[in-house]
Amino acid sequence: MQQSRPIAERAWVTIVWVLTGFFVVNLLAMIGTVVTSSFATRWLGTWLPAGWTPKWYISAWDEFQLDDLLIVTFEVVFAVVALSALLGIPAAYALARREFPGKKLVMLLFLLPLLVPPVTYGIPLATVLYKSGLGGTMSGVIAANLVPAVPFVILVMIPFIEQIDPKIEAAARVFGASTFRLFVHVLVPLLLPGALAALLLVLVRTIAMFELTFLTAGPGSQTLVVALYYAVFAAGVRAVQSVDAMAVVYMLTTLVWLIVALRFVNPTQMVTRAKQQQH
Amino acid sequence: MSVGDTPPPPLRLRLASHGLDAVTLLVLPAAALLVALFVYPFFYGLWLSLHPKDGSIFGNYVKFFSDPFLYETIGKTLWLAVPVTVLNLVAAIPIAFRVRRMRNQRLLTTILVLPITLGTVLVAEGMLNYFGPQGWFNRTVMTLGLSATPLKLVHNYTGVFLSLVITGFPFTFLLVLSYLTGIDPVLEQAASTLGAKASSRFRHILLPLLVPGLGVTFCLGFVQAFSVFPSAVLLGAPAGPTRVISIAAYEAAFEQYDYSLASAIAMVMAAVLLAVIVAVMSLRGLFYRGPASGGKG
């Protein structure tokens, strides 16, 4: 039954694959440039650097105070993850299990921060934070990053909770479980896989969240990505290799968590965020 | 059927019958946080934008729309965002159709998720090296004899455009792919059984089912491209052709400390986004809307 495919279709398939290949090769080469440059002694006008050295990592570590930056980054990120779990998972549970008047409005409240770009709401938010004295502090950065993180956890968790049969909870009640025991022995184990996936995604997104942190951070509350922006912005002040070494450190911190996250979620889940809600 | 003698049920039960009980209250902390950090700042910003330094109500908006340095940012941003979004979408559809049938999708999707995860700042740093006059890209172009001099690909419109393709295309592609895999393959098989060729299966079955998803994808991609900020500064000409609207808002807030004008610019930005989204969604309403799964389970 299999007919030989017409030439036009084969040409079409080839074009599609060539384009995809071109994109992927350029993408990987671009990342490769940063890594190569960070190990280069001198790299001007040749395909490969004149020599290799790890010294830029040592100088970048001192120049940019990477240890401080990493500590701040992880303090911010883990605070955001913990708070968004604490606020987001109960809210998702309520929204998945109950129908109540005004539910559509509440859903809209959780959908909008994911649809409106961070720069747009970040500027009024930064204004409010600066007026209230939180601007430029660690708490301000954490508060700003919660705005997209909490809705993200909620929208990832709702479909996950909906597919857990409520009869399981009812059965635990019938057998006399208290609310506490129901929570510890039934809900936590059931919710754990979904919560883990949602929180890992929040973690990766918060490390890479530039706009909100940039608008609200002060000198002591900068995260790695914001410091990287300033380093690239002030190009010429420091050696290119030094900035690239910092970029590689940033890449590694993100990629470690991405690899962990991809063990639990499909790559497409990184972008489909609010998809289920929009029908 | 008389109920006159029975006392009304207690308030708690009446609320519970409407779905309001202790479990529903769990939604309150998260909702309160977003009211405080998202809704309130928005209205505060709106109020602030109507109270400019000179005291008139619409002073900021008059200033925005009479100063070419400010109002031209809308056109410049649209001139970047619309072509990039259309290009990403047009490229993503055929590739998603191919990849859908691929057995080992995961490697490709993992590679494509890299630029989204790493973010625009890292992409900008990589592009400055890679697409620069001495970068590998220009070296390859010159070695192949495609151009005698290095192509100017950064610090101009092209640089920002390319960065929006590098971060925007994977995003668009992964969204289209997830919509496409959500269409029940049985529908296409049925059309095939009835003798429809690949091209007519695409035109009459898959495309109509995909259009609502493409509308959403276009909006999400457009919103990201329209709010471009770090790459417009790092890879573009932030004083000239890539002075996008978010740069204008940032400068007003953090360089001139005129939060009132900055809020007004943020409001203009939100209004343009809303206008485009409403236009796309109402176009989408002209097409088929309904389930994309098979008729029978």
Side-chain angles (χ1 to χ4, degrees):
Chain A
M1 293 295 284
Q2 186 72 34
Q3 296 173 350
S4 69
R5 287 193 286 184
I7 293 170
E9 199 189 323
R10 261 187 287 170
W12 178 237
V13 174
T14 316
I15 292 171
V16 165
W17 285 128
V18 167
L19 278 179
T20 316
F22 183 72
F23 186 89
V24 169
V25 166
N26 279 295
L27 179 65
L28 295 178
M30 194 186 81
I31 294 171
T33 310
V34 176
V35 179
T36 312
S37 166
S38 73
F39 285 107
T41 49
R42 196 168 161 281
W43 192 11
L44 282 169
T46 46
W47 281 96
L48 285 174
W52 305 91
T53 171
K55 72 168 182 180
W56 298 110
Y57 285 86
I58 299 157
S59 69
W61 203 271
D62 290 340
E63 274 180 77
F64 299 111
Q65 292 162 323
L66 285 183
D67 40 1
D68 286 348
L69 279 177
L70 281 169
I71 292 170
V72 170
T73 305
F74 281 110
E75 276 173 359
V76 167
V77 166
F78 285 120
V80 168
V81 168
L83 286 171
S84 58
L86 213 60
L87 294 165
I89 297 174
Y93 185 78
L95 288 166
R97 286 286 189 252
R98 292 287 183 277
E99 291 297 326
F100 54 90
K103 189 177 169 183
K104 282 235 166 85
L105 199 68
V106 175
M107 285 306 298
L108 186 70
L109 178 67
F110 293 138
L111 202 54
L112 276 178
L114 295 176
L115 298 179
V116 180
V119 180
T120 315
Y121 66 82
I123 285 176
L125 175 60
T127 313
V128 168
L129 288 175
Y130 275 104
K131 293 258 149 115
S132 65
L134 284 173
T137 67
M138 192 92 102
S139 323
V141 173
I142 294 169
N145 275 291
L146 282 176
V147 174
V150 170
F152 186 86
V153 169
I154 293 175
L155 293 179
V156 172
M157 286 303 286
I158 287 176
F160 185 81
I161 296 170
E162 275 171 347
Q163 49 101 36
I164 296 175
D165 195 340
K167 285 188 197 119
I168 299 174
E169 292 147 54
R173 282 277 189 216
V174 169
F175 287 114
S178 64
T179 305
F180 177 75
R181 296 193 52 167
L182 174 78
F183 181 74
V184 171
H185 294 290
V186 180
L187 281 178
V188 168
L190 283 173
L191 294 179
L192 206 57
L196 201 63
L199 294 177
L200 278 167
L201 292 176
V202 165
L203 198 153
V204 173
R205 289 163 57 101
T206 309
I207 296 178
M209 170 49 81
F210 170 73
E211 285 90 348
L212 288 175
T213 314
F214 177 67
L215 292 175
T216 53
S221 51
Q222 270 180 25
T223 60
L224 201 48
V225 68
V226 175
L228 180 64
Y229 171 85
Y230 282 120
V232 181
F233 184 73
V237 177
R238 294 196 171 83
V240 183
Q241 292 97 318
S242 192
V243 178
D244 280 325
M246 182 184 184
V248 171
V249 172
Y250 164 74
M251 252 197 285
L252 288 177
T253 38
T254 318
L255 291 183
V256 166
W257 292 104
L258 178 68
I259 291 165
V260 176
L262 287 178
R263 292 184 63 87
F264 299 95
V265 298
N266 194 297
T268 43
Q269 266 179 288
M270 300 290 290
V271 298
T272 45
R273 38 188 197 187
K275 197 196 110 201
Q276 289 89 345
Q277 309 306 320
Q278 286 168 355
H279 291 298
Chain B
M1 294 302 280
S2 159
V3 288
D5 294 331
T6 44
L11 182 65
R12 201 171 63 83
L13 283 183
R14 270 184 292 156
L15 283 175
S17 71
H18 286 100
L20 291 168
D21 59 10
V23 170
T24 320
L25 295 181
L26 291 174
V27 89
L28 282 181
L33 177 93
L34 284 163
V35 168
L37 294 177
F38 184 78
V39 179
Y40 169 70
F42 177 81
F43 285 105
Y44 179 76
L46 189 63
W47 177 85
L48 200 61
S49 76
L50 296 173
H51 290 79
K53 284 177 177 167
D54 63 7
S56 59
I57 290 190
F58 294 108
N60 280 323
Y61 295 93
V62 170
K63 186 177 175 191
F64 184 90
F65 286 104
S66 56
D67 182 356
F69 201 52
L70 290 174
Y71 72 75
E72 277 177 2
T73 56
I74 297 182
K76 284 172 184 170
T77 318
L78 286 175
W79 179 235
L80 265 170
V82 174
V84 163
T85 316
V86 171
L87 176 77
N88 284 340
L89 198 57
V90 166
I93 296 168
I95 296 175
F97 266 91
R98 274 292 134 205
V99 171
R100 182 177 61 131
R101 304 231 185 87
M102 221 163 102
R103 218 162 295 141
N104 210 342
Q105 289 178 10
R106 195 152 172 135
L107 179 66
L108 182 64
T109 47
T110 305
I111 292 174
L112 288 181
V113 97
L114 281 179
I116 303 174
T117 321
L118 294 175
T120 40
V121 178
L122 189 99
V123 169
E125 167 65 359
M127 278 182 64
L128 285 173
N129 286 325
Y130 180 66
F131 288 110
Q134 293 291 331
W136 281 344
F137 187 84
N138 264 319
R139 262 175 196 288
T140 313
V141 167
M142 282 156 73
T143 308
L144 294 176
L146 298 174
S147 167
T149 51
L151 305 171
K152 202 164 165 9
L153 298 170
V154 288
H155 297 304
N156 55 14
Y157 175 87
T158 321
V160 186
F161 191 94
L162 284 175
S163 87
L164 287 173
V165 171
I166 288 174
T167 49
F169 170 74
F171 177 83
T172 315
F173 168 80
L174 291 173
L175 266 179
V176 172
L177 186 67
S178 79
Y179 277 110
L180 208 51
T181 45
I183 296 176
D184 195 334
V186 169
L187 296 172
E188 208 192 343
Q189 284 161 18
S192 177
T193 312
L194 295 171
K197 287 202 189 81
S199 57
S200 55
R201 286 204 301 267
F202 174 74
R203 267 195 53 209
H204 297 293
I205 309 289
L206 291 172
L207 194 60
L209 289 172
L210 199 58
V211 162
L214 294 182
V216 174
T217 310
F218 181 90
C219 288
L220 290 176
F222 175 78
V223 162
Q224 287 202 338
F226 191 80
S227 63
V228 55
F229 179 63
S231 52
V233 177
L234 300 176
L235 287 164
T242 71
R243 191 182 139 83
V244 292
I245 191 161
S246 37
I247 295 181
Y250 172 77
E251 284 180 358
F254 295 97
E255 284 174 16
Q256 299 155 19
Y257 296 103
D258 189 346
Y259 290 113
S260 177
L261 179 63
S263 302
I265 300 176
M267 295 301 142
V268 171
M269 202 172 158
V272 175
L273 283 173
L274 192 70
V276 171
I277 289 173
V278 167
V280 171
M281 286 301 163
S282 51
L283 271 179
R284 190 182 86 141
L286 301 176
F287 290 90
Y288 168 83
R289 292 190 70 179
S293 50
K296 289 183 178 177

